[in-house]
Amino acid sequence: MHNDESTEDEGPSLASNRTLEIIVALLFLAGSAIVIYDSARLGFGWIEGQGPAPGYFPFYVALAMGIASLVTLFQALRGSFPGGDDSFVSVVGFGRVLTVLIPSVFYVMLIGGVNLGPIGIPGLGLYVASAIFITLFMIFIGKDNPLKSALVGIGIPLTLFFMFEKWFQVPLPKGPLEAMLGY
Amino acid sequence: MTIQKTARLTMGAAAMAVMGATAAHAWEPTKPVEFVIPAGTGGGADQMARFIQGVISKHSLMKQPMIVVNKGGGAGAEGFLEVKGAAGNPHKIIITLSNLFTTPYGTGVPFSYKEMTPVAMLALDQFVLWVNKDAPYKTAKEYIDAVKAAEDKKYKMGGTGSKQEDQIITAALERVTAPKKFVYIPYKGGGEVATQLVGNHVNSSVNNPIEAVAQWRGGALRPLCIFDGKRSTYTAKVTETMAWSDIPTCKESGLPTEYQMLRGIFMPAGVKAEETAFYVDLFKKVRATPDWKEFMEKGAFNDTFMTGADYAKWVAAADKTHFDLMKEAGFLAAGAAAPAAK
Amino acid sequence: MEELSSLMHGFAVVLTPFNLFLMCVGILLGVIIGVLPGLGGANGVAILLPLTFSMPPTSAIIMLTCIYWGALFGGAITSILFNIPGEPWSVATTFDGHPMAQRGRADEALTAAFTSSFIGAFFAVVLITFLAPVVARFALKFGPAEFFAVFFLTFASFIGMGKGSPWKTLAAMCLGLALASVGLDKVTGTLRLTFGHTELLTGFDFLIAVIGLFGIGEILASMESGLKFQGATAKIRMDAVLQTWKKLPQYWATSLRSCAIGCWMGITPGGATPASFMSYALAKRFSKNGDNFGKGEIEGVIAPETAAHAAGTAAMLPMLTLGIPGSPTAAVLLGGLLIWGLQPGPLLFIEQKEFVWGLIASMYLGNVVGLIIVLTCVPLFAAILRIPFSIIAPAILVICAVGAYTVNNSMFDVWLMLVFGLAGYVFNKLGYPLAPLVLAIVLGSKAEESFRQALLGSQGDLTVFFSNWLVGGIMGLGMVMLFWPLIAMVVGKIRGGTKSATA
């Protein structure tokens, strides 16, 4: 849908459509294998008194998914897709995707903190993390004026805070700042 | 663990005894209290929790607001795991239904009532055996005899959820109908079950009174018996001819099956006795309102209140009962642990 | 015409300044709730339910149902503007609504959506007013086999719709079905595909998938093509509403068909979601411009919105007359009725005449008030797209995170949303259709459940799906839909028509 002309004149290609087709088809096959594995554990026949076993439905679904992905994989390997060798994404384009993807990952880390074995960082809560994310995003990616960025960055979480915590009383993740203020 | 728990319970009971005197200085919530419902929106537990929330705000029984959160995933495991993980947090309470016992045994998800602090039993929910009004059976005995006389798996029992209270009762009934069995068909909610029974897609149900009372009053369903040791105490007429108290017990009809469902409150483990005491007191106030009495009668609840050691003892006994019933019916999950010997 | 006089009496009950005030408050709250993903209509009503305990029941239900109407209207706004459906039944609205917004026709899409919603709701209310008792009995005929037939029909009408590889459509739909089966199996109470992870107990909520696939995926795609957002060039036309209204009458057939589908689905209660999908699929089949669906065809907005609103409104009928909720929101309202001391069911129409007719009257008025409020705001909503992308992008990300979190109060879901976002971006570029994927996540577990309930009841006998005229008829219709491309080809051959008929 978004695979329009704009990507063509953007320098070298990072990956071709065909490469991505193969990767995605393999991922689908892996998913199918996982589901079939667990369905086999649960059983996919008929259980007396319970009807079709719990694994019945997922098993056949995964089977169909596997077959469909094999066909796609085969077609991609044979190169029979029209436009299969066109660029999936250019280096420049992918760089731009990363400029929003990587900050988003950091943003989610900031909200809930990180807890990976030895590395344990407590989260800042959603409101503070959002303020930081919006402000920095506007300054560094949107190239906006820092004062305006800070105002928007603080304004949006503040509005959300009143809406969710005060008005609708839906608790969102909160961090040390909110704790200090007694929430 | 067990010793600590006993100690805490004793302390809790002691604290309650002196609570009246010290209420003025007692602990109070300092931030909004989260009220977890281990079930989806619209069900019996949800209705009760939202009703309690309404009563508390209507009569201003608590200074901080109470926020109701539905966490019904995995047959309620989601909600219970949340409370288990919130040890020491006095701003979180949970309302239970039988899935407190059935979910860990049925799915093997590791949680137990022992990992929470019991606050109070609010009421016991009844179960009634219902059939369609066009069915020829006037008593439970006639129905059971018909099941016995027919071929195996001829009769369909509709119920809420799988390996939960409705199916446990069905399994208990099958002890009487043996060797003939019901086909148990699980649905999402009690309202759906009642409608399926009205539409004759199943032959009977064991709906809670509140789930089927509308269809009873509308003349679409007929109650056969109530799964309690004694008849209901509500004598006001529900239909033109019958009151809840006119429904015979199943025992009277030759069905020795009794089952009631806990509607109780728990807190996370490791909370202080005065924190528990606050909630005990709060629910006493809720129960004193006229709204509560009306709600109890509408749903024909068994209006029993218990706290402290009594409540803890009741819960332990109920846990054992559920384990036995589920073991007998073959509902135990592979990883489910037996209740610890006392 | 006893109904008419009862209805007039109902209007008299509703038309007090206090009730009208509550109506406006309810609609506005509802629109806000509908706009914020994660705070769906059911949640919104549940959250505000306790506020109404001190009101008289009629006023309380007026306010709550107005929140519901408002949320239905509001759900369309984010679908069209940002490709983020807040409710399952707004998913189909994104298919053509968002492309319209991208082409600078957001105001037209919004007007069409709001107006169609109103028409759908109005049709359903008229039905409730005059046919309530007759129609309610029809709902009782639906057992598990009939429900499965309905879901089958919905899926069938969607297969073969995409232009891309049928294998990719199949893979995407199966992925959705597999994701839908994660968590507790409701029929046997067994945990499936959780591999011991407690985060997976709740399964994959459709909302997380949709926020990721559509919302985040959209932002990633916009980023790749540079920091521009085509909608930003949209002119604000104050007469957009009137201009769009001129175009609407020519789609009367689509509207009527969608109303019928919506009412049927709302009553049975299949719900608003299958209604919107089915209506979209049928409109695409029968429209002269079927090939343009998905690229910004106004008919593709009219069809799902009309059906969703008709179904949402018609869902009130089984709730009132039988005490079974036709939608999650109706389930919460049902809880409300009990708390206010009213017993829904067959006797409600007799014992609580004032309440029932007040409610029905408020459905008429609430939708009129709602339509006026949202239509006046169309230029305002469309203007949101003029905000620079550097503000909109992070704000949408934040709101998506909030929405994903509130579904289960879990950070895991926020991570999941990012994963779905990446998947949505890649799938879109490779031509894996997202619609069947989302449809499968939304309806997969319900379809599976009714399939197994039906087989359990029949002890494995598959003929249960053709055991009476009702279920057999729906299944037959489903079969026709499933093999429509083949049928169309055969018909085309016979007529000696062109090859394009098979699209």
Side-chain angles (χ1 to χ4, degrees):
Chain A
M1 206 157 107
H2 294 277
N3 199 5
D4 46 28
E5 320 79 58
S6 63
T7 46
E8 276 175 19
D9 50 2
E10 294 222 324
S13 163
L14 185 72
S16 72
N17 273 337
R18 190 205 293 208
T19 319
L20 259 288
E21 288 284 6
I22 293 170
I23 294 174
V24 171
L26 287 174
L27 285 175
F28 264 102
L29 278 175
S32 163
I34 293 172
V35 176
I36 289 179
Y37 169 78
D38 204 51
S39 307
R41 178 182 68 82
L42 295 163
F44 47 84
W46 176 276
I47 297 181
E48 209 41 51
Q50 291 187 356
Y56 177 88
F57 195 74
F59 176 80
Y60 287 103
V61 160
L63 203 63
M65 185 163 92
I67 293 169
S69 313
L70 273 179
V71 175
T72 310
L73 183 65
F74 180 70
Q75 285 176 338
L77 286 174
R78 223 180 47 181
S80 61
F81 278 124
D85 293 315
D86 290 356
S87 165
F88 175 80
V89 65
S90 67
V91 175
V92 182
F94 190 63
R96 278 195 300 248
V97 172
L98 286 186
T99 53
V100 65
L101 196 60
I102 291 173
S104 307
V105 171
F106 276 105
Y107 166 57
V108 180
M109 279 186 186
L110 273 183
I111 302 175
V114 188
N115 200 355
L116 288 172
I119 321 162
I121 307 163
L124 293 177
L126 187 128
Y127 302 108
V128 177
S130 303
I132 296 173
F133 174 67
I134 296 174
T135 311
L136 295 185
F137 189 100
M138 286 179 66
I139 294 177
F140 290 105
I141 300 168
K143 309 270 186 275
D144 269 312
N145 161 355
L147 182 67
K148 179 184 157 199
S149 307
L151 281 179
V152 175
I154 294 170
I156 292 177
L158 209 60
T159 317
L160 285 178
F161 180 82
F162 279 102
M163 247 184 203
F164 280 86
E165 306 286 334
K166 290 282 172 192
W167 203 6
F168 291 124
Q169 304 199 335
V170 174
L172 294 180
K174 287 179 281 291
L177 179 70
E178 289 90 347
M180 241 170 62
L181 297 172
Y183 285 97
Chain B
M1 176 72 200
T2 327
I3 298 168
Q4 271 178 0
K5 186 176 152 57
T6 320
R8 200 178 61 234
L9 283 176
T10 327
M11 274 168 59
M16 271 161 230
V18 293
M19 191 184 59
T22 56
H25 315 286
W27 178 86
E28 262 186 78
T30 51
K31 55 181 196 176
V33 174
E34 211 175 295
F35 195 178
V36 181
I37 306 169
T41 40
D46 184 60
Q47 278 175 24
M48 189 178 247
R50 289 185 194 282
F51 169 76
I52 290 171
Q53 180 197 23
V55 169
I56 288 175
S57 68
K58 184 174 160 189
H59 297 274
S60 320
L61 300 179
M62 191 164 74
K63 285 184 194 126
Q64 291 286 341
M66 180 174 260
I67 299 168
V68 173
V69 188
N70 290 87
K71 287 193 168 256
E78 192 196 354
F80 290 114
L81 287 175
E82 157 127 357
V83 174
K84 177 182 169 182
N89 178 356
H91 293 99
K92 203 181 277 274
I93 58 174
I94 188 166
I95 187 164
T96 67
L97 39 156
S98 283
N99 61 4
L100 168 65
F101 311 116
T102 55
T103 300
Y105 291 138
T107 64
V109 178
F111 70 85
S112 144
Y113 72 94
K114 289 178 200 143
E115 290 159 333
M116 298 189 287
T117 309
V119 176
M121 172 195 288
L122 297 178
L124 290 171
D125 208 344
Q126 302 281 11
F127 289 82
V128 172
L129 180 64
W130 303 90
V131 291
N132 191 295
K133 65 139 194 318
D134 296 327
Y137 328 108
K138 301 281 181 249
T139 65
K141 190 168 180 313
E142 282 175 33
Y143 180 58
I144 293 299
D145 286 344
V147 175
K148 274 191 204 165
E151 12 170 336
D152 194 23
K153 302 202 166 164
K154 190 78 195 144
Y155 282 80
K156 294 177 210 161
M157 177 73 88
T160 309
S162 183
K163 296 179 188 165
Q164 293 181 28
E165 54 278 0
D166 286 9
Q167 199 172 2
I168 289 178
I169 297 175
T170 308
L173 284 180
E174 282 170 351
R175 272 188 261 174
V176 184
T177 61
K180 305 292 166 58
K181 284 185 181 297
F182 289 97
V183 176
Y184 177 82
I185 303 186
Y187 292 93
K188 258 195 302 296
E192 200 183 336
V193 176
T195 316
Q196 291 287 313
L197 183 56
V198 176
N200 263 322
H201 301 284
V202 291
N203 301 95
S204 57
S205 80
V206 290
N207 274 119
N208 296 127
I210 204 161
E211 293 168 342
V213 63
Q215 282 78 8
W216 181 29
R217 297 188 59 218
L221 296 183
R222 179 185 306 135
L224 295 182
C225 68
I226 186 164
F227 292 95
D228 192 358
K230 54 185 191 330
R231 289 191 181 201
S232 169
T233 51
Y234 299 106
T235 50
K237 289 269 181 280
V238 180
T239 66
E240 272 167 28
T241 52
M242 279 179 87
W244 286 115
S245 58
D246 294 327
I247 303 176
T249 66
C250 291
K251 212 182 222 158
E252 288 174 46
S253 316
L255 273 175
T257 309
E258 278 179 37
Y259 189 90
Q260 287 174 305
M261 177 152 71
L262 172 65
R263 300 281 188 201
I265 303 290
F266 284 80
M267 288 176 80
V271 293
K272 297 192 188 75
E274 72 237 40
E275 290 162 350
T276 312
F278 169 82
Y279 291 105
V280 171
D281 190 44
L282 176 69
F283 285 106
K284 276 187 184 154
K285 287 180 197 157
V286 169
R287 288 172 47 84
T289 60
D291 310 63
W292 177 265
K293 298 217 163 56
E294 201 184 312
F295 186 75
M296 286 291 108
E297 174 148 11
K298 191 150 281 153
F301 288 94
N302 180 335
D303 194 1
T304 313
F305 190 63
M306 269 187 214
T307 57
D310 287 345
Y311 180 38
K313 219 164 107 188
W314 189 95
V315 170
D319 183 54
K320 178 82 173 52
T321 315
H322 279 92
F323 178 79
D324 294 343
L325 285 169
M326 289 182 72
K327 189 176 175 192
E328 197 184 314
F331 294 163
L332 292 183
K342 279 272 153 180
Chain C
M1 286 289 102
E2 193 200 330
E3 286 89 0
L4 268 187
S5 65
S6 305
L7 184 62
M8 287 307 139
H9 180 67
F11 276 115
V13 172
V14 173
L15 280 171
T16 66
F18 179 62
N19 284 345
L20 281 177
F21 167 75
L22 286 180
M23 217 175 252
C24 294
V25 171
I27 297 275
L28 283 175
L29 277 176
V31 171
I32 294 170
I33 286 168
V35 165
L36 293 172
L39 275 185
N43 276 328
V45 173
I47 289 163
L48 296 167
L49 193 58
L51 289 184
T52 63
F53 292 155
S54 43
M55 296 179 189
T58 314
S59 303
I61 192 112
I62 288 173
M63 178 160 154
L64 290 180
T65 48
C66 280
I67 291 171
Y68 182 44
W69 311 138
L72 283 172
F73 281 122
I77 300 172
T78 42
S79 306
I80 290 171
L81 297 185
F82 305 120
N83 211 17
I84 307 171
E87 304 273 4
W89 50 80
S90 320
V91 174
T93 310
T94 62
F95 300 159
D96 279 280
H98 188 63
M100 282 181 79
Q102 283 180 320
R103 281 169 179 66
R105 292 164 62 202
D107 44 8
E108 256 180 76
L110 287 168
T111 308
F114 294 150
T115 314
S116 314
S117 303
F118 173 76
I119 292 169
F122 196 81
F123 191 91
V125 182
V126 173
L127 190 84
I128 291 179
T129 312
F130 295 103
L131 292 173
V134 187
V135 172
R137 247 171 277 137
F138 179 65
L140 287 175
K141 293 203 190 304
F142 272 69
E146 285 80 4
F147 279 120
F148 176 74
V150 166
F151 296 128
F152 174 75
L153 175 58
T154 314
F155 277 110
S157 59
F158 244 72
I159 285 178
M161 243 190 50
K163 289 219 171 57
S165 153
W167 299 107
K168 286 182 177 171
T169 309
L170 182 64
M173 190 179 274
C174 288
L175 178 65
L177 291 171
L179 289 176
S181 63
V182 174
L184 189 84
D185 167 28
K186 292 188 189 70
V187 181
T188 57
T190 320
L191 288 176
R192 297 193 298 198
L193 300 167
T194 58
F195 301 100
H197 292 281
T198 50
E199 292 92 348
L200 292 176
L201 277 180
T202 48
F204 291 91
D205 193 274
F206 110 92
L207 205 60
I208 315 285
V210 158
I211 292 174
L213 290 170
F214 289 97
I216 307 284
E218 181 70 27
I219 290 182
L220 294 180
S222 307
M223 277 308 284
E224 190 203 321
S225 57
L227 266 182
K228 57 178 193 279
F229 198 72
Q230 292 90 330
T233 55
K235 282 192 295 261
I236 306 280
R237 296 171 295 180
M238 295 314 285
D239 62 343
V241 172
L242 295 176
Q243 291 299 328
T244 313
W245 275 5
K246 275 189 201 150
K247 290 188 196 165
L248 291 182
Q250 54 176 305
Y251 302 114
W252 62 272
T254 300
S255 294
L256 202 62
R257 183 182 339 106
S258 307
C259 283
I261 293 172
C263 288
W264 174 41
M265 288 288 147
I267 290 164
T268 48
T273 314
S276 63
F277 278 104
M278 203 187 281
S279 169
Y280 180 86
L282 290 183
K284 187 179 158 70
R285 285 274 150 80
F286 291 113
S287 167
K288 286 193 297 278
N289 307 322
D291 286 351
N292 286 331
F293 270 51
K295 294 180 193 156
E297 190 63 35
I298 197 165
E299 217 176 334
V301 175
I302 296 171
E305 279 294 311
T306 311
H309 244 205
T313 310
M316 293 285 170
L317 191 103
M319 178 188 94
L320 290 173
T321 54
L322 302 168
I324 38 162
S327 72
T329 313
V332 178
L333 285 177
L334 189 71
L337 290 182
L338 294 168
I339 293 165
W340 300 316
L342 297 170
Q343 187 71 65
L347 296 180
L348 193 66
F349 274 79
I350 299 159
E351 290 174 353
Q352 302 286 346
K353 261 192 146 73
E354 185 154 296
F355 170 81
V356 170
W357 289 104
L359 170 61
I360 293 176
S362 85
M363 290 181 178
Y364 284 97
L365 286 173
N367 274 298
V368 174
V369 172
L371 183 69
I372 295 169
I373 291 178
V374 289
L375 279 184
T376 42
C377 295
V378 163
L380 186 75
F381 295 136
I384 294 176
L385 289 181
R386 294 172 67 90
I387 299 173
F389 189 70
S390 66
I391 297 179
I392 283 286
I396 291 180
L397 269 162
V398 166
I399 290 173
C400 286
V402 170
Y405 179 83
T406 44
V407 173
N408 290 316
N409 293 306
S410 146
M411 275 312 289
F412 176 75
D413 286 342
V414 185
W415 287 110
L416 211 56
M417 168 196 83
L418 283 184
V419 174
F420 273 117
L422 200 57
Y425 165 70
V426 175
F427 282 4
N428 225 335
K429 297 199 77 167
L430 290 182
Y432 281 92
L434 296 183
L437 172 58
V438 171
L439 179 71
I441 295 179
V442 176
L443 295 181
S445 55
K446 284 184 190 153
E448 182 196 354
E449 215 175 294
S450 25
F451 179 72
R452 288 168 60 192
Q453 283 167 349
L455 280 191
L456 203 49
S458 74
Q459 289 296 295
D461 186 358
L462 281 166
T463 57
V464 67
F465 295 113
F466 295 92
S467 57
N468 62 50
W469 65 268
L470 183 62
V471 64
I474 305 172
M475 288 299 283
L477 208 58
M479 292 287 178
V480 171
M481 284 294 145
L482 192 60
F483 297 111
W484 185 262
L486 272 179
I487 295 168
M489 200 163 70
V490 173
V491 171
K493 282 255 169 67
I494 293 169
R495 283 195 195 151
T498 54
K499 277 175 273 172
S500 64
T502 53

